[in-house]
Amino acid sequence: MSIILDQVTKHYGGVPVVNDVSLDIGDGEFFVLLGPSGSGKSTLLRAIAGLSGVDHGRIALHGRDVTHLTARKRGVGLVFQNYALFRHMTVADNIEFALRVRHVRGKLRRQRRKELLRLVALEGMDERLPAQLSGGQQQRVAVARALAHKPEVLLLDEPFGALDAKIRDELRRTIREVQRELGITTVLVTHDQEEAFAMADRIGIMNLGRLLEVGAPHDLYSRPATRFVATFLGAANLILARRTADGIQVCGTTIAAADRTPAANEHEVVAVVRPEEVELAPARAALTTNYLAGGVVEEVVFTGALERLRVRLDAAAHTPLLAHDGSDDNASELLQVTRTQHEQRGFAVTPGQNVAVGVRRVHVLPTPLSSFTACAASAQLAEALGREPLLVELAARMKTRITTRSEPKMGVAEALCESADFVGTTVIASQTDCAHRSEWLLRRGARDLLVLPAGATAPQRVLIHWMGEAARNATLAMSASVLRHVPAEAVYVGIFPGQAGGRGPHGMRELLDARSEAQAAHGLEMRTEMRFGEVAEELARRLAEAPGQMLIVGVTELTRFAERFRALLDGGHWPVLIVYRGAP
């Protein structure tokens, strides 16, 4: 591998801007780091270049640990967005500068310069000053200068941002051709999805300092694993659906018969429908795809080759759409549609027109956290719980909804629930008898339960533990779902009975296995630590050591649950997410 990053972390002001990033980049690969502004991608690139130190982790280039080496000793070439050319030097002098400081002889310098000018299509411009070049030409010179000393790795930090569209496209093509000809490992940082698709062998998506997904462009677009990637890589409709024995259903209508599950395991899921996978027709009978709902065209925008529409689904569909972003209160009611000119000619539509909506293809996200249900003894208390800051923030970042549920007899020993169907993750307020209420809900069908203190805010650290192997995979999956949406560090706490030193290598092996499974199966990077004693007491002690912490704990049986978990759940000190996987 050309580049290996192992749990690289960088803090600013106590906040991780690069959060436990691990990544392998192959020899000669063109890798693109993609993400919104502030996601940590440029900070990570600067760490690879040696322009910024790291607080934790390791960086290796071509098998050599360079974590603590200076930038000059790392053998990398770096190209910035602002060209960074010496304004008083000619093109020739700029390109030869890195060779001069390395005391390369004049003949070899001139030979190397001519090779590079040919590669970047600037032959004959040796004696021009930067001011005599266009923006695209200046950036080509910057690329040539970065390649002059034959670096093992080329790093590009948004090099096309200051260029117009045509020049940007030409320079992309040039850099890709140069990279292929030289076979140099290249990392490009950008926030432009089109740019990433056009250039990358593989793309890594970053958000909130965490590397969310890595894959080939087509795979990430067609089969994303997270809500953020689905909506960041092009437009996407997120739909709350139900996986049933008949397939994926929306409001009782099956839209994907192939995705089935045993009737006993029916559950809510988040489905992705790309706008180009939506069909519009004048009536349901005219659809050639699976019927989704009826709707009314709200907006039609002509963009040349494509037509973009927004369609409001009928009230009978109970608005299963999830909000695309937080900027439009009505976004959850509007379906995004993209149509080709061929489709436009076959069925022209105008705003206000009634249409039947069909779906060609649906992709179900593997996330176990679909939505939240605020549960309390009364509707008024449930609505107040649904407005808690942390719950609102999580729902907004996950682009999901918060519903409410009343359980007037919650905690009454022999009482039954108002409804046996628990949808999404159940949320209850932390109270003095919270452990007892939690057990009551878990015994009656709740599988994922968030105990939320009043006024809780986004955590800075999330502790993870499971009690029983049956809850291991589900706990890791739920932890990954949460940690993709908060800028928090993840720590797996392995707790063993007895005194320190009693587990030895076996305990360490369990920690390493837990980290490996989290990374391989769920794309979750987490640190590990070992503790000894009774589980609930040790977790409560660990949580009390610092503010801003949250616990995700997996359980497999409920015997003496309220008694064992009272110290963790009663009193409202910290958010606790319980992942229960066992027989009620």
Side-chain angles (χ1 to χ4, degrees), residues 434-446:
C434 196
H436 174 66
R437 290 173 179 245
S438 298
E439 181 178 341
W440 190 89
L441 287 165
L442 292 170
R443 288 189 180 278
R444 284 155 180 78

Side-chain angles (χ1 to χ4, degrees), residues 291-306:
Y291 176 75
L292 173 64
V296 178
V297 177
E298 288 271 321
E299 180 182 75
V300 179
V301 178
F302 174 72
T303 63
L306 299 175

